Amino acid sequence: MQQVKAVVAKAMGEPVSIETINVPEPGPGEAVVKIQACGVCHTDLHYREGGINDEFPFLLGHEASGIVEAVGDGVTDVEPGDFVILNWRAVCGECRACKRGEPQYCFATHNAKQKMTLEDGTELSPALGIGAFAEKTLVAAGQCTKVDPKARPAAAGLLGCGVMAGLGAAINTGGATRGRSVAVIGCGGVGVAAVAGAVLSGASPVIAVDIDPRKLDAAKNAGATHTVDSSQADPVEQIKQICAEVYPGAEGADIVVEAVGRPETWKQAFYARDLAGTVVLVGVPTPDMKLPELPLIDVFGRGGALKSSWYGDCLPSRDFPMLIDLYQRGRLDLDAFVSEEIGLDEVEQAFAKMHDGNVLRSVVVF
Ligand code: APR
Ligand code: ZN
Ligand code: ZN
């Protein structure tokens, strides 16, 4: 066991604090990772506010990269010294989804079995099974994906959550490709990543929609071909018009990604899709939100698909090394998502900055 500094949310709604935590030696199938960088995500704030569950105290942080320090028995995929990106859950390899070759839908994902604790022995709940606002953390070895060690840690770590969710929503879930149009509603970190994913896929036009002009600028930098400010008017007509100009006869976008997580914007996405188009929900709704009431005939008559994207339907072992390779070759600007590098003691300020909308991501670097 060793002791390290970490950011802990001790009680609902209270500011986080820096604590000394105990990190056990890795058991079978586990790894201890020396964290190099960890992005500040909305989900960390949701944990602190009690929006996810009540298993306080939480060890926050889950968009991270680091160096494997030690591995437990039976671990063969990674070894000490490897540079890795952490993911939420290791897949089981045994369930129906894994057996049919779709481990991204694994029904029996898992995290480390042992618990990290506070100095007084209280067990910590690591955010999304990671807990990486810590100098070191304990995870299941299957949560570690080895990538090119030359990649900048602050940029690489972002693939561990928000950026992967957005890229994957466009590419993996939505099936964006050349010859198809993509609209993205909501251009925070997740939405801009969806724009970047659509651009990578070769899709065109790529239409970015937001109520905040600064976010539209960020989307433009990520390669959006068109931007729509929806603070004044419903964006559906504008999306339809842009798509019809590019593909005569089109009645909307082939893929519409909703990256806000609200019924109103989901409804916009629903009506902005072309016949046989796909709507992808990647924004996270709150439990009380309901689907908007829609004529069923509008679901039936348009064909296509209404999907949700869970972690960008990513397969870390496939997607992380590939996306880091594209980053290294200058085809995916992960640096654009890193608005600032901060210290471990600045997480609370970073939560405040999320609200004023000036940052895509604050990233703690060690
Ligand atoms: N129409 C269009 N855009 C909107 C609207 C709206 N009605 N309301 C909010 N937005 C925009 C905001 O201006 C902001 O740019 O949606 C964006 C949301 O971005 P962030 O708050 O930065 O959130 P992000 O990290 O991108 O995550 C998006 O996915 O992971 C979830 O909890 C997260 O639900 C959130 C969503
Ligand atoms: Zn996250
Ligand atoms: Zn499985």
Side-chain angles (χ1 to χ4, degrees), residues 40-43 46 63 88 161-162 165 184-193 209-216 228-231 235 258-262 264-265 268 282-286 354-355 357 359-361:
V40 182
C41 175
H42 276 84
T43 307
H46 291 163
E63 289 189 346
W88 300 350
C161 181
V184 178
I185 301 180
C187 293
V190 174
V192 171
V209 180
D210 205 293
I211 51 176
D212 181 340
R214 293 170 302 178
K215 300 305 174 78
L216 293 175
V228 173
D229 182 342
S230 61
S231 61
E258 199 280 6
V260 185
R262 302 195 55 83
E264 316 86 84
T265 38
Q268 291 169 354
V282 64
V284 184
T286 56
M354 266 178 196
H355 283 296
V359 295
L360 285 181
R361 275 294 188 271

Side-chain angles (χ1 to χ4, degrees), residues 272-356:
R273 84 189 202 278
D274 197 3
L275 294 173
T278 301
V279 175
V280 178
L281 175 65
V282 64
V284 184
T286 56
D288 56 300
M289 289 178 184
K290 301 273 188 289
L291 269 181
E293 207 165 290
L294 296 169
L296 198 51
I297 189 73
D298 289 349
V299 177
F300 175 75
R302 292 178 152 240
L306 308 177
K307 294 182 154 189
S308 80
S309 185
W310 169 242
Y311 204 173
D313 287 329
C314 78
L315 198 50
S317 56
R318 174 194 66 190
D319 296 346
F320 292 177
M322 172 193 71
L323 292 167
I324 288 294
D325 183 48
L326 291 171
Y327 166 57
Q328 302 282 77
R329 291 195 280 130
R331 290 193 51 206
L332 172 63
D333 186 8
L334 291 176
D335 292 321
F337 294 92
V338 183
S339 309
E340 55 169 5
E341 295 192 358
I342 61 172
L344 196 57
D345 55 351
E346 294 172 277
V347 169
E348 195 57 46
Q349 289 97 304
F351 285 149
K353 281 183 205 154
M354 266 178 196
H355 283 296
D356 56 33

